[in-house]
Amino acid sequence: MRTVAEILGESGGILTGHFLLSSGRHGDRYLQLAAPFQHPDLAAELASGLAGRVREAGLEPRVVLGPALGAIVPGFALAQALGVRFVFCEREDGRFALRRGFALTAAEPVLVVENTLSTGGSALEAIALVREAGAAVAGVAVYCDRIPEPRGVFDVPYVSLERFEIPNWAPEDCPLCRAGAPAPIKPGSRPPR
Ligand code: ZN
């Protein structure tokens, strides 16, 4: 298959600009996974690749769980490729919760899916939710990641379809700020210039 970078590039999913990342650091590129997932054929291609990694790692989930809203379509695509059930969690009073009648059982190991892993915070919250519900976590699967050693973040198996090395800086070291660029924007909130 093609690389994630190729598919993102083709679908307009690699944004350039001046971005404020969820970590508080600044960056000049942002990976917008919603771009390729507009297209069912690209969604199926990406999900097939990630499902292959999940199987190679020996993981046998019975359910895929993704955080709303961003991971609903990518998570469903992965569940379809794996032939398992899909549920999503959503924020309720600031915490992840399972609503809409979704339930997890001890008999169904859960694979937590994320689009892009930067800090791992959402996935860690989702893992806690699965365990509170009495189910086991089979692992974490992401379409791409951009942190140097994410394997140290989780106490469960971790698979990533592709690693991106994207530089980012503390605000005081940001070359874009030094060059007098307009204030950074939070990606996803509005289109880049
Ligand atoms: Zn900056």
Side-chain angles (χ1 to χ4, degrees):
M1 78 169 256
R2 295 176 295 168
T3 66
V4 177
E6 285 167 344
I7 295 170
L8 277 172
E10 173 191 307
S11 58
I14 301 179
L15 309 183
T16 57
H18 186 199
F19 298 108
L20 176 61
L21 308 175
S22 54
S23 61
R25 294 168 69 86
H26 293 190
D28 63 0
R29 268 170 294 166
Y30 181 74
L31 307 176
Q32 179 50 276
L33 271 284
F37 279 100
Q38 295 173 91
H39 306 286
D41 56 334
L42 299 183
E45 188 175 353
L46 287 166
S48 165
L50 185 54
R53 294 289 165 83
V54 169
R55 292 193 193 98
E56 281 166 23
L59 308 185
E60 295 183 338
R62 300 282 299 279
V63 181
V64 170
L65 179 146
L69 288 167
I72 292 180
V73 172
F76 181 84
L78 178 62
Q80 190 166 44
L82 289 168
V84 302
R85 194 160 69 89
F86 172 73
V87 298
F88 60 85
C89 57
E90 56 197 303
R91 298 238 174 244
E92 189 175 55
D93 299 326
R95 298 186 70 221
F96 277 154
L98 290 172
R99 301 180 63 196
R100 304 167 198 275
F102 292 153
L104 301 173
T105 70
E108 296 180 303
V110 178
L111 181 67
V112 171
V113 63
E114 279 247 58
N115 300 350
T116 310
L117 197 79
S118 49
T119 62
S122 296
L124 287 170
E125 272 188 77
I127 289 170
L129 174 71
V130 171
R131 288 175 174 159
E132 280 171 30
V137 180
V140 173
V142 303
Y143 285 92
C144 53
D145 58 34
R146 50 180 299 175
I147 54 179
E149 190 44 77
R151 278 172 186 80
V153 174
F154 303 111
D155 61 356
V156 295
Y158 172 84
V159 293
S160 165
L161 185 51
E162 199 157 303
R163 167 76 40 82
F164 285 75
E165 303 285 350
I166 299 179
N168 58 79
W169 311 276
E172 60 272 23
D173 297 327
C174 174
L176 297 167
C177 285
R178 282 189 188 158
I185 63 166
K186 264 191 145 163
S189 56
R190 60 192 168 99
R193 59 194 163 81

